[in-house]
Amino acid sequence: MADEEKPRPVIPKGEPFIKTDVISPTFMMQYDACTRCGECDKWCPVLDAKDGDRKYSPMDKISRFRSFMGQSYGLKAKLFGPKKLDEDDIQDFTDAFFHCSTCGVCASVCPAGINTVDMYEATRQQLVMRGNGPYGKTVMFPKLIGEYRNPYMKDQKQRLDWIPDDVEIAEEADVAYFAGCTAGFNQQVLGVATARVLNHLNVPFIYLGEEETCCSSALIRTGQPHKGDIPYINAKHNVEALEARGVKKVMFACAGCYRVATIDWPKLLGRKPNFEVVHVADLLADLIQQGKIEWKKSFDNKIITYHDPCHLGRHCGVYETPRIVLDNLPGLKFVEMDRIKELQRCCGAGGGVKAGIADVALDIASERIRDAQAVNADILSSCCPFCRRNIGDGRDNVYDQIGATDYDLRDNPENKMQVEDMIVLVAELMGLSTKIKSQEEADKAAGVEPEAPKHLIDL
Amino acid sequence: MAEFSYYSGIPTFYMMIGIAMVAILIFLLGMYLNMQKWGGGSASHFLKTFIKSINHEKLGHHKRQSLLSTIILDILLQRRILRRSPFRWVMHMMIFVGWIGMFILSMVFAVFEMLHAINIGHFDLVVIRNSLDFSNEVLGYMLLIGLIIAIARRLVIPDVVKRTQIFDWVLVLGTLFITVTGFMAEGFRPDAITGAWTFLGDNVALAETFALFHVAISLLFCIAYIPYSKYMHMLAAPMVILVNGGGE
Ligand code: HEM
Ligand code: SF4
Ligand code: SF4
Ligand code: SF4
């Protein structure tokens, strides 16, 4: 799907066709450091999903931008003026450039140590400012997040709606839970599970509620941080609100928000917040290692594997604690898939790909399901709502394909691989309910008794 | 016989100095333009940002390593290539060590020649040249073998063939051409040990012309051309590694 016709920028005579004012000098230098070794191409999930079409090769995209830069700022450009670039070529390049989930595996494998993700994001911003980007529906993000303070078009007042009656939120505590928009509005099971687990473990926490605003990850990843300066405004607002509550730690269960808090908040604000940023997996792993967690339920000898969210793993370096947690869950054998940790295969959702280029996101997620099938996993777990959603879609896609011929599976859909977030599994195994508030209320109205998940056995 | 006017192989020492100056100027101009491009129009802005960013603090749980480890492990030993492909590491190390080694030896000899030309110090240039001969030979073969592997890869391995562009060919073939002319210039010179003329008998004029040709294109291709070509990676890649901290 190409974008609708974009307005063409008017370039004054003698001016370069592409400016570089938002690409920092060290990122500009990185374009010239590429050795064209092709290592990134071997790992890029998007290039894979596009069947090796060179237009989507990270190596060739880098060369293409370098060549634009050479034509605009090189020796010839200095002597005879910048070359007139073909607008269609720039647009074609931009569209290819937004076909990238900012997963960062190319940075992990790059022998020249290029920090591709930050370089791409800055370049995307430049292309957006030029009028060529972003791609597809991601163009809506600034309006949604700017206007509603969340991408789901919900009223800020509804931020408290997910909290079930049994969940206790403290007025004052050392820990804050930053739920984020997805757990708060869209996949409430994650918020509910996290809150109940924290309550169960006697970790009192505060929650900003109506005061919490979107982390704005979607804007930063898609090169739109300048539109209304929303990421900066939201970062300042969230950090100052959390600091005003005097918390020592801010807990995240969403990889996207955690990445923003760890890396983007300090960059946007030019300082580190006065609190520690932790992922809920860090806390759980710590308590498990101290022997402080008691499980009430168990799986019945299932195989589980873990998908590292790019934003938690490669971007922030959190690889071990989710593994410690999953490895200790009762009744589960933990196995590793192909392509893990810094070499993980992205699920394909990030960087605006899920919102902008859904078919590519689905293809990549399906590959990840095949990785999990290859190690006979019954459960594929992760620590990120976007991974959960997209890999879940990938699972349905793969099973739709095999379901047509596999009658056993068609008749027994419960044999499908389960795609579930770590925190939900933890809550279930602690014997806690993972029913969201609206579901509980509906059950109550219908007179349905709550029951434990059928796939678990008592310990 | 012109044996004593014939040290590095250059008939007129000043001619070499002239070409070297031109090559260095072209190189500096290219570097200046690159830094200007990187710095959004200001080379000094680039330099300031670059120096400030060296080994900048990483955010998150990523482990830091010392600047020294970055320089030794990631820049000199290039473990990031090794980790991905030992085969390509061997290839690149051959090119890297061969090239840099010969570059350093040439610089050393050029200094002696300069001192000699302005009559400082008392040494025998032939002895010095002969003492460098063995190292030069070894480094030359390393470079040659590395380049042959690189070319073979680009001709044979389907994936590599598919993604090879002119930009890649210019660098490998250009470097190969210079390496080969280097071997030929060496072959045309009087033998280091016996003093007998090889290849060309004692056609000194031809040998001198050829040596001049080799040195001139080496300077132009291997120095002047760096900022304008894929060679730029030999400076930019280590600079990027310094900024991003390398690792693993
Ligand atoms: C830390 C510094 C350097 C790094 C990290 C680096 C990295 C690389 C990499 C990854 C490649 C691609 C190899 C491939 O195609 O598979 C390459 C190619 C090459 N490098 Fe370097 N390099 C460095 C310095 C140098 C230096 C100093 C030279 C000196 C001449 C050099 C010469 C070459 C050549 C000739 C190629 C082309 C090989 C080909 O195209 O097949 N490199 N370099
Ligand atoms: S960040 Fe990921 S998707 Fe983007 S170019 Fe690199 S490997 Fe491909
Ligand atoms: S891995 Fe790095 S050096 Fe190699 S082609 Fe990709 S960006 Fe260039
Ligand atoms: S959704 Fe998960 S795997 Fe996918 S891009 Fe985001 S963090 Fe990466």
Side-chain angles (χ1 to χ4, degrees), chain A residues 33-41 58-59 62 106 109-112 114 116:
Chain A
C34 171
T35 65
R36 291 187 47 79
C37 69
E39 197 59 47
C40 47
D41 281 9
M59 173 173 92
I62 288 173
C106 47
V109 299
C110 176
I114 298 176
T116 50

Side-chain angles (χ1 to χ4, degrees), chain A residues 145-319:
Chain A
I145 299 175
E147 201 167 305
Y148 295 92
R149 304 270 164 243
N150 70 74
Y152 300 111
M153 294 166 77
K154 301 278 181 173
D155 195 284
Q156 274 299 96
K157 292 207 177 65
Q158 288 173 275
R159 282 227 184 238
L160 296 164
D161 286 2
W162 64 271
I163 304 168
D165 298 338
D166 60 294
V167 164
E168 231 173 90
I169 290 175
E171 281 301 315
E172 228 177 275
D174 285 346
V175 176
Y177 168 43
F178 190 99
C181 308
T182 306
F185 296 121
N186 194 270
Q187 299 185 43
Q188 296 186 356
V189 62
L190 303 175
V192 168
T194 310
R196 286 191 176 129
V197 167
L198 292 178
N199 277 175
H200 179 79
L201 294 171
N202 292 322
V203 180
F205 66 91
I206 64 145
Y207 171 53
L208 289 181
E210 287 175 36
E211 259 203 277
E212 188 182 287
T213 60
C214 177
C215 71
S216 315
S217 166
L219 297 176
I220 306 172
R221 308 283 87 82
T222 57
Q224 308 183 79
H226 57 290
K227 290 192 179 167
D229 220 3
I230 299 163
Y232 170 76
I233 293 171
N234 285 351
K236 189 164 172 336
H237 169 87
N238 282 323
V239 170
E240 286 176 358
L242 288 162
E243 285 174 345
R245 300 287 294 269
V247 293
K248 297 206 176 82
K249 285 183 182 177
V250 178
M251 179 98 52
F252 294 82
C254 169
C257 301
Y258 179 84
R259 196 277 189 204
V260 170
T262 308
I263 297 176
D264 298 300
W265 281 353
K267 278 195 194 165
L268 288 163
L269 301 179
R271 67 170 179 98
K272 281 194 184 161
N274 293 332
F275 47 75
E276 196 189 334
V277 171
V278 283
H279 194 273
V280 68
D282 299 340
L283 169 86
L284 293 172
D286 193 30
L287 293 175
I288 285 174
Q289 284 176 328
Q290 293 176 34
K292 287 197 179 151
I293 291 191
E294 216 180 294
W295 306 107
K296 299 257 166 57
K297 304 266 173 194
S298 169
F299 276 93
D300 189 8
N301 275 327
K302 299 278 185 204
I303 297 177
I304 189 168
T305 189
Y306 175 64
H307 167 77
D308 291 273
C310 333
H311 296 101
L312 188 62
R314 260 192 305 265
H315 290 205
C316 297
V318 178
Y319 298 116

Side-chain angles (χ1 to χ4, degrees), chain B residues 46-137:
Chain B
F46 165 75
L47 279 173
K48 273 186 221 145
T49 321
F50 170 66
I51 290 166
K52 244 187 16 215
S53 326
I54 290 180
N55 232 26
H56 71 266
E57 191 193 0
K58 280 189 183 172
L59 296 164
H61 294 217
H62 296 289
K63 283 197 203 85
R64 292 233 43 86
Q65 65 175 14
S66 70
L67 196 58
L68 195 66
S69 327
T70 305
I71 292 170
I72 295 176
L73 297 171
D74 293 305
I75 296 179
L76 296 176
L77 296 177
Q78 297 164 10
R79 71 170 155 182
R80 289 181 70 91
I81 308 184
L82 177 64
R83 204 170 54 132
R84 298 269 62 87
S85 159
F87 168 70
R88 287 209 332 253
W89 181 80
V90 169
M91 169 193 101
H92 193 266
M93 265 305 179
M94 295 260 194
I95 300 176
F96 176 80
V97 174
W99 197 100
I100 299 275
M102 298 220 292
F103 179 82
I104 293 172
L105 290 189
S106 310
M107 288 296 118
V108 168
F109 195 70
V111 169
F112 277 114
E113 268 190 301
M114 243 179 286
L115 294 177
H116 186 82
I118 52 175
N119 270 324
I120 297 181
H122 294 281
F123 41 77
D124 186 343
L125 278 181
V126 176
V127 173
I128 292 173
R129 200 203 84 200
N130 289 353
S131 66
L132 297 179
D133 236 31
F134 177 71
S135 324
N136 254 323
E137 197 98 332

